[in-house]
Amino acid sequence: QLQPVESGGGLAQPGGSLRLSCAASQLEYYTIGWFRQAPGKEREGVSCIGVAGGASGSRTNYADSVKGRFTISRDSAGNTVYLEMNNLQPEDTAVYYCAADPGHLFSLCKFSLSDYIDWGQGTQVTVSS
């Protein structure tokens, strides 16, 4: 069982930045998604990245709400996926989770919750002045 661990959450002011990390051994072999859930709201997809190498070539996908502000990437060692969050807004406040999808290795990643099997514990992001 893959056990991803998130880190990097905290408090940011509107317009500020945070970088989240999702770490696990051999993460390069999984499609990785970042999701978030605010109190009283459904969990929603934020960004995802395909498996490293091969036909997918770590292709990325973003929710419209974060496109142009957030960037997902992998480290060269294949053990960490980052989510760089810029120009943060209060609406970005949520618990952020990373999750691994063992399938869909050769297609653009998506945000179907049922596709993601292994989930991290979450890290709180709060955006407030």
Side-chain angles (χ1 to χ4, degrees), residues 32-110:
I32 301 298
W34 282 99
F35 297 80
R36 66 186 182 186
Q37 188 166 24
K41 299 184 66 176
E42 294 184 348
R43 190 169 299 188
E44 64 175 352
V46 176
S47 183
C48 58
I49 187 167
V51 296
S56 65
S58 296
R59 295 176 66 193
T60 59
N61 197 6
Y62 298 91
D64 289 341
S65 59
V66 307
K67 195 172 299 182
R69 299 189 297 123
F70 291 8
T71 302
I72 190 169
S73 62
R74 294 183 182 272
D75 73 330
S76 59
N79 296 325
T80 307
V81 170
Y82 302 102
L83 184 68
E84 181 182 355
M85 306 185 296
N86 298 316
N87 192 24
L88 285 163
Q89 300 299 313
E91 293 75 25
D92 297 316
T93 296
V95 176
Y96 283 70
Y97 301 88
C98 67
D101 172 11
H104 308 92
L105 303 181
F106 304 102
S107 61
L108 181 66
C109 60
K110 301 177 180 65

